[in-house]
Amino acid sequence: MSGGDGNARSVEREGEEGMWSGDELHDLITIKLTRRRSVSPATLRKLSEAFNPLALIPARDDLIVQGVKASSCLLLLNGFAARYRLLRNGRRQFTEICLPGDFVNLGSLLKKRQRQGVVALTDCRAASIPHARLDRLIDADGDLVRSLWLDTLVDGAVSREWILALGAQSAKERLAWFLCELYCRLELVGRAKDCCFQLPMTQAEIADILGLSTVHVNRVVAELRREGLVEWKGALVHLKDWGGLAALAEFDKAYLESPPE
Amino acid sequence: MSGGDGNARSVEREGEEGMWSGDELHDLITIKLTRRRSVSPATLRKLSEAFNPLALIPARDDLIVQGVKASSCLLLLNGFAARYRLLRNGRRQFTEICLPGDFVNLGSLLKKRQRQGVVALTDCRAASIPHARLDRLIDADGDLVRSLWLDTLVDGAVSREWILALGAQSAKERLAWFLCELYCRLELVGRAKDCCFQLPMTQAEIADILGLSTVHVNRVVAELRREGLVEWKGALVHLKDWGGLAALAEFDKAYLESPPE
DNA sequence: CGACGTTTTGAATTGGTTCAAACTAAGTGG
DNA sequence: CCACTTAGTTTGAACCAATTCAAAACGTCG
């Protein structure tokens, strides 16, 4: 994910701020927007050229600050981030996990003020596109609006699966669900394959995703390991028994994919 | 989700099938789409005229059947409905509550197949608009797409609040959250005022929303009553102490409202 | 009335939390 | 190169919020 191994969260920071390969961004956007719907190459090019140079956000910084009015949308190129909210009782709950290729705050285009902050879980690289520019591109191409709107719809489907997990599944099932979903989403953007992926999160963070205590996450991880469902060493996760995990979680990746049309 | 028999939930079914006041639909759509963004009167008129005559759906029937490809979007005029999913362990989890004025499956326009069914909690009246017609209207008016897309975004915000409640709040806090949210959403479409509203749901259904057991919902309802926060007789709910409830749930209705620009 | 769906109450059980401490691994600086 | 530090993982034991099972009390309607 982020830079080297060793410390999974840190990334070397040469003076390359502002330098980036436009191709990388273009490719990611293409994967993202054309996986489920077609968008013309011309629009994709115009879109990817409309982004500002990339920014580096160190782990634990906020990419989006709660309650602040946005004037541009942020696309995550690299790293993990998470939308969250803090409660009076001191608990933190994540409500959305952002992966490379995700628009961190696409909604801000229409809903300027975001109620929840988004924190970088690892060092992140992100590029922003001003609302005004995006708005113009949208007006010019009906396929683009639809593709972006569809992206919002898929986010909603992800949220509903999350509600399902939190409301009706046991700790073990939730963890299995989480691993399955993350793997599928990472694979979709080429960040995972062969049932292996980097998961640069602490167990405390996973607890804040699954609505569990850190201690219990640890116990459930141990259980999945013991049963041979996963191998998990540092940040590297290997889903040894995909079928078993998916069955346990009643996971079906259809909701992440393109309509079968 | 078998056919509705004659119980407290049923509504008299005169031969008025197919009869409806276009004004009622027009008014509801206007409230719905212009509350957060402006849409031209001409578009609103064309849109409301594009709907098919209304259908009556008896309580417990599915409005949307899981996995079936939709060719039109359904607007709920009257009654309560809920998106749900059944798990192998026999549990049912609701993942979205649809109220009058809500598009039950707006997403089907872009994502034809819905993974989750939607069941009528009460007798419902709904009108549908074929995808093709809606598509044409959307192409003709950029404000309309944005307004509908914004609606999807608000749905997403609602889902995230739900995740927050399920993941990080106690049973009592969750119930308080649920009452607050429902009241605000109903008030937005003129179905509630003065902290009173009709809540035509059983405690078992509320349990399936909050991820609790029926018994525990009952106990928590009793607690809120005892503390003088709510009065609740049959389907009629009165939030006696809005401030207290909102504080308990850490509820802030901003996420349901228009962006303050 | 009798019946059924719903709400309410009680008692036992459990999945997950909390608190506390030990253990591991990876920097940091002398 | 080793002691020191800090962040994260792991283990144990007591505890609690919510569940489960069971049965009683309502209410409404045919």
Side-chain angles (χ1 to χ4, degrees):
Chain A
M1 254 339 57
S2 41
D5 37 356
N7 179 353
R9 305 173 95 106
S10 79
V11 114
E12 55 288 359
R13 307 278 293 288
E14 6 248 65
E16 26 114 354
E17 182 106 22
M19 304 289 294
W20 50 289
S21 141
D23 285 348
E24 185 191 352
L25 190 148
H26 181 271
D27 291 349
L28 201 49
I29 286 197
T30 303
I31 290 178
K32 186 70 181 173
L33 295 185
T34 61
R35 182 160 303 267
R36 300 185 256 254
R37 254 190 155 262
S38 72
V39 178
S40 81
T43 297
L44 287 170
R45 192 176 34 72
K46 273 188 245 163
L47 178 61
S48 57
E49 282 166 0
F51 278 84
N52 293 326
L54 115 181
L56 297 179
I57 302 100
R60 284 156 223 274
D61 271 21
D62 274 350
L63 280 91
I64 310 287
V65 178
Q66 180 181 16
V68 169
K69 208 160 76 178
S71 59
S72 61
C73 293
L74 209 58
L75 178 75
L76 192 58
L77 288 173
N78 220 299
F80 282 33
R83 193 172 299 268
Y84 69 97
R85 185 113 130 261
L86 299 168
L87 289 180
R88 243 191 290 99
N89 61 22
R91 296 190 64 157
R92 174 176 66 169
Q93 176 69 44
F94 289 130
T95 59
E96 190 169 6
I97 304 299
C98 303
L99 305 179
D102 286 344
F103 281 98
V104 171
N105 63 342
L106 181 55
S108 70
L109 182 67
L110 297 173
K111 211 167 174 286
K112 303 290 179 208
R113 221 172 281 268
Q114 309 272 172
R115 260 167 76 69
Q116 307 185 348
V118 177
V119 62
L121 296 179
T122 65
D123 289 346
C124 289
R125 291 164 56 231
S128 67
I129 179 168
H131 287 165
R133 272 186 231 163
L134 185 52
D135 233 3
R136 229 172 302 125
L137 289 166
I138 276 178
D139 272 326
D141 185 340
D143 282 334
L144 179 60
V145 209
R146 286 174 171 80
S147 190
L148 291 171
W149 184 5
L150 178 54
D151 196 58
T152 305
L153 284 163
V154 172
D155 283 351
V158 168
S159 295
R160 287 193 295 272
E161 294 294 316
W162 198 330
I163 290 171
L164 187 74
L166 291 179
Q169 298 197 287
S170 70
K172 198 162 129 190
E173 293 163 338
R174 281 183 226 181
L175 180 58
W177 159 77
F178 172 64
L179 293 174
C180 289
E181 184 188 290
L182 220 54
Y183 176 72
C184 287
R185 287 176 57 194
L186 286 169
E187 198 197 21
L188 238 44
V189 288
R191 299 311 206 259
K193 65 174 178 187
D194 302 330
C195 289
C196 288
F197 62 103
Q198 289 289 129
L199 180 57
M201 280 185 206
T202 67
Q203 294 184 352
E205 285 162 343
I206 294 173
D208 288 344
I209 291 170
L210 300 181
L212 297 168
S213 67
T214 308
V215 170
H216 203 58
V217 167
N218 183 275
R219 294 192 165 121
V220 176
V221 168
E223 216 174 324
L224 292 188
R225 275 205 268 247
R226 198 169 334 112
E227 295 173 9
L229 291 167
V230 305
E231 227 156 52
W232 191 329
K233 199 103 198 334
L236 182 66
V237 175
H238 174 201
L239 310 181
K240 281 174 72 181
D241 178 0
W242 172 265
L245 276 176
L248 175 58
E250 296 190 47
F251 182 84
D252 170 2
K253 66 181 170 184
Y255 70 102
L256 294 171
E257 299 191 327
S258 44
E261 281 326 300
Chain B
M1 328 296 129
S2 41
D5 46 345
N7 57 15
R9 310 168 93 105
S10 78
V11 115
E12 56 288 0
R13 306 276 294 287
E14 6 247 67
E16 26 115 353
E17 181 107 19
M19 305 286 295
W20 50 289
S21 139
D23 285 350
E24 185 192 352
L25 191 148
H26 181 270
D27 291 351
L28 201 49
I29 287 198
T30 303
I31 290 177
K32 187 68 181 177
L33 294 185
T34 62
R35 181 161 300 268
R36 301 185 255 253
R37 249 188 159 264
S38 72
V39 178
S40 82
T43 295
L44 288 170
R45 192 176 35 71
K46 271 187 246 164
L47 177 60
S48 56
E49 283 167 359
F51 278 83
N52 292 328
L54 118 179
L56 297 179
I57 300 99
R60 285 158 223 272
D61 269 21
D62 273 353
L63 280 89
I64 310 289
V65 179
Q66 181 181 17
V68 169
K69 208 160 76 178
S71 59
S72 61
C73 293
L74 209 58
L75 179 73
L76 192 58
L77 289 173
N78 221 298
F80 282 33
R83 192 172 299 267
Y84 70 96
R85 185 113 131 259
L86 299 167
L87 290 180
R88 243 191 290 98
N89 60 22
R91 296 191 64 157
R92 175 176 66 170
Q93 177 70 44
F94 290 130
T95 59
E96 190 168 8
I97 304 299
C98 304
L99 305 180
D102 285 344
F103 281 97
V104 171
N105 63 342
L106 181 55
S108 71
L109 181 67
L110 296 174
K111 212 169 173 286
K112 304 289 178 207
R113 220 172 283 269
Q114 309 272 170
R115 259 167 76 69
Q116 308 186 347
V118 177
V119 63
L121 296 178
T122 65
D123 288 348
C124 290
R125 291 165 56 230
S128 68
I129 180 170
H131 286 165
R133 274 186 230 161
L134 185 52
D135 233 6
R136 231 172 300 125
L137 289 166
I138 277 177
D139 272 327
D141 185 341
D143 282 333
L144 180 61
V145 210
R146 285 173 171 81
S147 189
L148 290 172
W149 183 5
L150 178 53
D151 197 57
T152 304
L153 284 163
V154 172
D155 283 350
V158 168
S159 295
R160 286 193 295 272
E161 295 294 317
W162 198 331
I163 289 170
L164 188 72
L166 290 178
Q169 299 197 288
S170 70
K172 198 162 130 189
E173 292 164 338
R174 280 183 228 181
L175 180 58
W177 160 76
F178 172 64
L179 293 174
C180 289
E181 185 189 289
L182 220 53
Y183 175 72
C184 288
R185 286 177 56 196
L186 287 170
E187 198 197 21
L188 239 44
V189 287
R191 300 307 204 265
K193 66 173 179 187
D194 302 329
C195 288
C196 289
F197 62 103
Q198 290 289 129
L199 181 57
M201 279 186 207
T202 66
Q203 294 184 353
E205 285 163 343
I206 295 173
D208 288 345
I209 292 169
L210 301 181
L212 298 169
S213 66
T214 308
V215 171
H216 202 57
V217 167
N218 183 274
R219 293 189 166 122
V220 176
V221 168
E223 216 175 324
L224 292 188
R225 276 205 267 247
R226 199 171 331 113
E227 295 172 9
L229 292 167
V230 304
E231 228 156 48
W232 191 328
K233 201 104 199 327
L236 184 65
V237 175
H238 175 200
L239 309 181
K240 282 174 72 180
D241 178 1
W242 172 265
L245 275 176
L248 175 58
E250 297 191 46
F251 182 84
D252 170 2
K253 65 181 170 182
Y255 69 101
L256 294 171
E257 299 191 327
S258 44
E261 285 319 313

